[in-house]
Amino acid sequence: MLRVIKVILCSKKNCNPMHNYDRVLILLTMKEKKYAYDGGLMPILSYLVLPQAGAMEQLCTDLSAIECCEVIPSDNEEVIVLVTDTPDDNTEKTLQKKLKNLPSLQSISMTFGHSAE
Amino acid sequence: MKINRRSFIKSAAASSALAAAGSIFPGISFAEWKKQEGASGKINWQKAPCRFCGTGCGVLVGMSGDRAVAVKGDPNCSVNKGLCCVKGFHSVQALYGKDRLKKAQVRKNGKMVEVPISEALDVIAAKIQETIKKHGKDSVSMYGSGQWTIPDGYVASKLFKGCLGTNNVEANARLCMASAVTGFMTSFGIDEPMGCYEDIEAADVMITWGNNMAEMHPVLFSRMLASRKRKQNVTIVDFATRTTRTSQAADKSILFKPNTDLAVANAICYEIIRNDWVNWDFVTKHTTFHKGKTNIGYGTEDHFSFKDKPEDITFEEYKTFLEDYTPEKVQRISGVSAKDIKYMASLYGDPEKKVTSFWCMGMNQHVRGTWIQNLVYNIHLLTGKISTPGNSPFSLTGQPSACGTVREVGTLTNRLPHGVVMNEKDRKMAAEIWDVPLSNIDPKPTYHTVEMFRALDRGDIRFMWIQVTNPMVTMPKLKRYREGCLKDDRFIVVSDVYPTPTTDVADVILPASMWVEQEGLFGNSERRTQHFDAIVPGPGDTMSDTWQIIEVARRLGFEKQFPWGEDEYIGKIWEEYRRFHDSPKHNMAPYTVLKERSGVQWPFVNGKETRWRFNTKHDPACKKGTEFDFYGKKDGKAWIWARPYEPAAESPDQEYDFWLCTGRVIEHWHTGSMTRRVPILHNAMPESYVELNPEDAADLGVTNGEKVKIISRRGDIVMKASINGRGVPPRGSVFVPFFDENYLINEVTLDAFCPISKQPDYKKCAVRLEKA
Ligand code: SF4
């Protein structure tokens, strides 16, 4: 059974999830995001990722260096599509942590989610 | 297989992000992206409108064999352009809840017993006959829904109004959009919005009136935000009674005291006139001025009746009326500063700015619901900001087919598929199309929803068939109506997909097909009719609501009126229904066109959809030689109404010192009977809560998650406090979502309604709080 989720999360710790709302689609807060992942196995997720000003190339490099990430950069806007495919919950959690801590990343918005049962 | 499936899912995940990026950043290019089409062989995508809200997003349902396994936004649907919200993405999971109703049940010796569905249908037909024989035709009733498909509502109306001869047909849309209808009828003489969702991209200013669009119409809200990002000069103002996600994302959030939106709207008009921002050319050519009765009551007593008496007034009289609404005076009533009132007026008044106003339940569920719609129309009419791209007073709808089924088919006591029962011409048209004697159609409306449930409680109604709705959660002042249903000699039939508090009071339960398990049509907020095929087999004995009604009608001897076969009935019903709207003002697209496209807007004339009504450039029904033609009114003019501020039916006092407002959350659809069975949605929002202002919480000594008792004159409820959660009410008010049947907040609410629309006000009653 597919589980498809579409949520917003923000890269900044403890931030108001609305602070970059104008770049995002549909919101769930960080707490709700956690619920959404609970119990999910082998999640595949996709995101729109926006770099910090002038950090597009750096962000592409940073993301490509992380395991389980597929990076599709736009060639005419500072926007990256990121698809992640993790084998289990723990890897997913580690990946989330890495993403959150990338200095080149400004915001990340989920657009699709699935976790196999 | 596993590799294929995963690479397909990755491909779908990437496509979804690309579609979203394309919608937010038009012209964005991803040259490196190569589509992995080959991997998707096992999934077959089919179009449908989303099952849930009135936005009417087009979705593609992914089928693996005969099981629906995924959803994505339909890029061909202009409503959502490939986007979806969290409910839409999970909608297919709602088909597969463990406790799906699969078998009919009939109460035998006090116990519900599973029976073959044909036996249950026999019981229903026999009970209708017996009840009519004993108590007369007006003792049987049908209570439907804005989630009925168009054919569901059409056959219900044909059976009850045309064949059985009773106007006892109502729908839950009375609780959600009746004030929108009476607002349109009184201001324009014809129902439904003049604009369309393209107004979002065309507007420079968007003002939400008591409307948390970020959660209730999330895809439209994301279009607003995307437009603001793209155009840079777009302003969003949230005018509301509590701070929500919409307020947080808006450029400005203005809070007003409950019911005083009436006074603020008048003050905006006062300012528009005082500053001479009136579009005189438009006003002189296309409007007239009127007033109606005042002190019109609240309908809390049985048999309440009210009829307005419109009178013509001059512009000067209207101007004098507005003198009571200077920004300074209104500041005292509404709590909105004179500066903010003037700011809003300046946005509407600026001739260089295109302004769209959005509203939904905040203005509809309002004891002066009709009036507040009139007053917001006044603002747009005085400035001539109407019926042109980006200039739109836009009444949004909550349910997926409140417009398509309830408003267009007319499944309300006074309505017919075209016109009203009181009008002989309309009755003649219905009698002819339905092939019933004219005398069958009663010229007198019977009961609106609240009064229908009161009649059931009193015993004037003895039989009620409820389809696709859950009134034992949603009726205001619920206790009275639940007890009414449970009285001896009342017979309740409920057609639904899951057990609910409403099936708990049923004597017969019919297992219904859900959404894409049947063929059907919905109609969304922007006059868009959306067809969907039966793409998933329904479980057990489930049967479409339309077919249930047809089966009962035939058992009652109306084979002639319901002659269609099971493989063709939706198309045949649509083409019969379309005859009611055969005019340039309301022509509907043919069945074959609807089957092909992801929704078609009416009026559909000469193969073309109408985007902006009443505008001669866009609307073929307008008289030639004039820029605008408000053809709903006999003189072709729109009405500007002098309507005063009047307070709510019940306001806080010393004993009950808080306002209670109820509403929805993004994760759950209405009473949660479907979305609470979707694990992700349920886990994200597992139970209802009461939002408190942090200072009120401190006064009460309550911290986040602690229990609070909410007490009104009708009942009480204990639930957890949410402090500084996603919504924050101002001091002196609380907010409770109604999705959770474990917390029946409607036992606390009041059944006061707008005397014109008869729509209850779920947004205002008085309560007191105790730490529990
Ligand atoms: S916004 Fe409404 S119609 Fe669109 S996906 Fe969400 S619930 Fe469905």
Side-chain angles (χ1 to χ4, degrees):
Chain A
M1 177 67 188
L2 294 184
R3 280 187 178 177
V4 187
I5 56 179
K6 179 154 187 136
V7 298
I8 290 307
L9 57 145
C10 174
S11 59
K12 306 259 169 35
K13 267 188 195 155
N14 303 323
C15 84
N16 175 344
M18 305 298 303
H19 87 146
N20 55 2
Y21 197 46
D22 59 351
R23 297 198 186 85
V24 299
L25 306 176
I26 315 303
L27 306 188
L28 290 186
T29 63
M30 291 298 282
K31 188 172 137 236
E32 292 153 3
K33 179 190 77 80
K34 181 183 163 302
Y35 279 122
Y37 292 145
D38 277 354
L41 299 167
M42 300 172 68
I44 293 175
L45 305 161
S46 73
Y47 307 89
L48 288 189
V49 191
L50 303 181
Q52 297 288 2
M56 176 77 175
E57 239 174 80
Q58 183 61 47
L59 183 58
C60 284
T61 315
D62 291 348
L63 289 172
S64 307
I66 304 176
E67 233 178 296
C68 315
C69 286
E70 190 177 317
V71 178
I72 310 168
S74 163
D75 42 289
N76 63 350
E77 294 268 5
E78 301 240 307
V79 178
I80 296 166
V81 163
L82 172 69
V83 181
T84 65
D85 178 0
T86 47
D88 53 51
D89 258 6
N90 277 343
T91 318
E92 179 62 31
K93 277 178 193 153
T94 317
L95 171 66
Q96 292 294 324
K97 246 190 217 158
K98 282 187 191 162
L99 290 175
K100 265 190 229 167
N101 293 328
L102 281 182
S104 51
L105 185 149
Q106 188 201 130
S107 75
I108 176 164
S109 324
M110 186 180 289
T111 59
F112 181 103
H114 146 265
S115 53
E117 281 179 298
Chain B
M1 172 63 195
K2 197 164 182 184
I3 289 165
N4 279 346
R5 192 175 172 82
R6 267 192 103 65
S7 44
F8 155 68
I9 294 160
K10 279 175 77 173
S11 169
S15 305
S16 174
L18 293 164
S23 144
I24 293 177
F25 304 95
I28 194 169
S29 138
F30 290 87
E32 280 182 34
W33 164 246
K34 288 182 217 70
K35 279 192 173 171
Q36 301 168 30
E37 305 275 39
S40 65
K42 296 284 175 202
I43 305 272
N44 165 25
W45 296 96
Q46 298 205 44
K47 78 165 175 76
C50 171
R51 168 63 183 79
F52 297 120
C53 87
T55 301
C57 294
V59 296
L60 295 172
V61 177
M63 295 292 297
S64 176
D66 63 4
R67 196 171 167 94
V69 294
V71 174
K72 60 182 180 184
D74 179 355
N76 292 325
C77 182
S78 67
V79 171
N80 52 317
K81 305 174 184 197
L83 303 178
C84 260
C85 82
V86 68
K87 287 189 295 299
F89 269 116
H90 291 90
S91 47
V92 294
Q93 289 189 29
L95 296 165
Y96 301 116
K98 286 196 187 87
D99 55 345
R100 197 52 210 273
L101 292 170
K102 296 178 188 156
K103 287 259 170 222
Q105 297 171 45
V106 172
R107 194 173 294 280
K108 291 183 177 171
N109 300 322
K111 274 207 171 132
M112 295 307 282
V113 180
E114 283 191 357
V115 296
I117 192 161
S118 56
E119 185 185 323
L121 294 163
D122 290 342
V123 171
I124 296 167
K127 197 72 197 177
I128 290 176
Q129 272 166 333
E130 181 197 315
T131 310
I132 291 177
K133 206 167 157 205
K134 257 199 198 156
H135 303 285
K137 65 184 176 61
D138 287 335
S139 62
V140 298
S141 61
M142 170 61 95
Y143 184 59
S145 169
Q147 295 159 73
W148 253 347
T149 67
I150 293 172
D152 294 341
Y154 182 77
V155 293
S157 184
K158 185 173 181 178
L159 173 62
F160 278 74
K161 296 194 173 203
C163 300
L164 299 176
T166 175
N167 287 323
N168 281 350
V169 178
E170 277 278 300
N172 67 358
R174 173 76 73 181
L175 314 178
C176 89
M177 39 95 306
S179 300
V181 177
T182 48
F184 277 114
M185 297 308 289
T186 46
S187 290
F188 304 101
I190 191 166
D191 189 22
E192 297 208 32
M194 51 286 296
C196 62
Y197 294 156
E198 285 168 42
D199 286 316
I200 294 171
E201 282 77 23
D204 304 308
V205 176
M206 285 173 271
I207 302 187
T208 52
W209 287 72
N211 184 12
N212 179 12
M213 283 179 78
E215 290 201 70
M216 305 319 144
H217 296 85
V219 164
L220 296 182
F221 197 63
S222 71
R223 279 179 65 171
M224 286 163 67
L225 299 177
S227 176
R228 182 173 68 181
K229 168 130 188 89
R230 214 170 31 245
K231 290 173 40 177
Q232 303 296 341
N233 58 348
V234 170
T235 305
I236 299 173
V237 177
D238 183 49
F239 182 59
T241 56
R242 75 187 235 274
T243 304
T244 64
R245 286 180 170 177
T246 305
S247 341
Q248 290 161 20
D251 299 283
K252 188 163 176 67
S253 153
I254 301 173
L255 293 180
F256 64 93
K257 289 185 188 156
N259 236 47
T260 66
D261 43 356
L262 296 157
V264 174
N266 276 333
I268 291 172
C269 291
Y270 172 88
E271 276 294 292
I272 287 169
I273 292 171
R274 190 181 69 83
N275 289 290
D276 201 19
W277 291 327
V278 175
N279 181 336
W280 287 110
D281 183 54
F282 181 92
V283 167
T284 315
K285 283 186 189 153
H286 304 298
T287 66
T288 50
F289 292 83
H290 306 268
K291 69 174 183 182
K293 287 187 184 168
T294 56
N295 290 319
I296 62 177
Y298 299 100
T300 44
E301 61 278 16
D302 281 32
H303 305 293
F304 171 89
S305 90
F306 172 79
K307 199 167 170 4
D308 205 4
K309 194 165 164 262
E311 285 175 49
D312 295 350
I313 55 170
T314 63
F315 171 74
E316 286 308 319
E317 285 169 310
Y318 174 65
K319 195 175 157 193
T320 309
F321 157 82
L322 289 178
E323 275 163 19
D324 282 344
Y325 298 95
T326 65
E328 291 70 24
K329 285 182 191 166
V330 169
Q331 172 174 324
R332 288 195 289 275
I333 306 169
S334 65
V336 181
S337 70
K339 193 169 151 236
D340 281 347
I341 292 171
K342 288 177 186 180
Y343 168 70
M344 283 171 76
S346 72
L347 293 175
Y348 281 108
D350 184 343
E352 302 303 318
K353 284 193 163 71
K354 293 178 183 165
V355 188
T356 291
S357 307
F358 285 108
W359 66 89
C360 198
M361 292 310 127
M363 271 174 47
N364 294 355
Q365 293 175 337
H366 191 306
V367 281
R368 296 293 177 263
T370 310
W371 288 7
I372 184 61
Q373 324 264 332
N374 295 148
L375 297 185
V376 175
Y377 292 132
N378 288 355
I379 301 172
H380 283 266
L381 290 168
L382 284 174
T383 51
K385 293 189 179 184
I386 194 163
S387 291
T388 50
N391 284 320
S392 224
F394 208 124
S395 158
L396 295 166
T397 300
Q399 304 188 75
S401 201
C403 285
T405 304
V406 181
R407 291 162 78 161
E408 291 158 29
V409 175
T411 57
L412 296 169
T413 181
N414 58 329
R415 298 284 306 278
L416 286 166
H418 181 272
V420 289
V421 294
M422 299 81 88
N423 182 313
E424 192 180 359
K425 230 171 109 196
D426 296 336
R427 290 201 306 278
K428 272 189 180 153
M429 180 194 263
E432 194 201 314
I433 295 174
W434 285 345
D435 195 8
V436 297
L438 177 61
S439 57
N440 268 26
I441 305 176
D442 195 322
K444 227 174 146 267
T446 52
Y447 309 108
H448 57 84
T449 295
V450 170
E451 195 53 33
M452 186 188 257
F453 277 88
R454 287 175 183 168
L456 184 72
D457 178 42
R458 291 192 301 264
D460 300 335
I461 287 178
R462 302 296 177 116
F463 171 100
M464 187 182 281
W465 187 351
I466 299 165
Q467 285 193 323
V468 210
T469 186
N470 192 4
M472 292 303 109
V473 177
T474 55
M475 284 302 293
K477 199 177 171 183
L478 181 57
K479 202 163 164 273
R480 172 177 181 191
Y481 303 119
R482 189 176 51 243
E483 282 168 5
C485 288
L486 290 168
K487 280 185 178 164
D488 286 346
D489 203 17
R490 306 292 187 276
F491 198 87
I492 310 291
V493 178
V494 179
S495 307
D496 213 329
V497 296
Y498 286 110
T500 66
T502 305
T503 59
D504 287 349
V505 301
D507 298 288
V508 174
I509 298 172
L510 293 178
S513 310
M514 182 179 157
W515 187 34
V516 288
E517 291 166 355
Q518 63 195 321
E519 186 184 0
L521 301 110
F522 284 159
N524 81 349
S525 282
E526 57 160 1
R527 296 175 279 108
R528 180 176 300 278
T529 313
Q530 299 160 296
H531 173 271
F532 51 100
D533 273 316
I535 52 187
V536 183
D541 285 349
T542 53
M543 182 183 276
S544 78
D545 295 279
T546 306
W547 196 254
Q548 292 171 12
I549 295 170
I550 292 172
E551 286 282 347
V552 169
R554 288 177 178 170
R555 283 164 168 78
L556 291 166
F558 301 110
E559 291 90 349
K560 190 171 75 155
Q561 285 79 15
F562 297 86
W564 316 292
E566 239 182 305
D567 53 344
E568 55 162 23
Y569 69 107
I570 297 297
K572 296 276 184 202
I573 289 170
W574 177 257
E575 289 304 331
E576 180 181 303
Y577 162 58
R578 220 158 70 82
R579 291 171 59 198
F580 280 96
H581 294 308
D582 186 15
S583 92
K585 291 179 189 172
H586 201 138
N587 208 13
M588 317 288 289
Y591 178 67
T592 44
V593 173
L594 290 167
K595 254 184 101 85
E596 260 167 41
R597 299 194 199 170
S598 300
V600 179
Q601 276 182 295
W602 61 264
F604 184 76
V605 183
N606 300 326
K608 271 175 100 182
E609 301 173 57
T610 304
R611 296 270 189 273
W612 288 276
R613 291 201 297 170
F614 313 138
N615 179 329
T616 313
K617 260 195 242 156
H618 298 272
D619 183 349
C622 290
K623 254 199 315 284
K624 299 286 168 269
T626 168
E627 214 180 328
F628 297 96
D629 177 11
F630 293 98
Y631 48 70
K633 294 281 189 191
K634 281 198 183 104
D635 58 1
K637 304 211 175 182
W639 286 24
I640 290 177
W641 284 91
R643 303 285 204 190
Y645 160 70
E646 286 179 7
E650 187 182 70
S651 300
D653 54 21
Q654 281 199 328
E655 198 182 349
Y656 297 92
D657 50 350
F658 276 79
W659 289 105
L660 167 68
C661 175
T662 67
R664 295 205 285 121
V665 292
I666 187 171
E667 295 86 349
H668 289 297
W669 173 246
H670 274 195
T671 60
S673 59
M674 290 176 281
T675 47
R676 293 186 80 230
R677 285 167 169 95
V678 175
I680 283 180
L681 298 175
H682 176 60
N683 289 338
M685 181 54 76
E687 64 176 331
S688 188
Y689 53 83
V690 52
E691 275 177 10
L692 289 174
N693 181 279
E695 290 177 43
D696 288 331
D699 286 354
L700 266 178
V702 170
T703 57
N704 213 9
E706 284 189 327
K707 297 239 169 106
V708 177
K709 188 170 188 181
I710 308 167
I711 308 151
S712 78
R713 293 180 176 90
R714 277 76 50 197
D716 57 62
I717 187 169
V718 175
M719 57 204 315
K720 283 185 191 157
S722 165
I723 302 157
N724 282 327
R726 68 171 61 165
V728 182
R731 283 210 82 164
S733 39
V734 295
F735 171 83
V736 176
F738 70 89
F739 69 84
D740 187 346
E741 67 181 49
N742 298 314
Y743 298 95
L744 292 172
I745 189 60
N746 280 315
E747 297 206 336
V748 176
T749 55
L750 177 65
D751 58 353
F753 51 76
C754 165
I756 302 173
S757 70
K758 319 294 190 284
Q759 174 165 355
D761 187 335
Y762 291 88
K763 304 292 184 189
K764 296 162 218 110
C765 71
V767 296
R768 72 185 148 83
L769 308 179
E770 284 172 10
K771 185 173 176 171

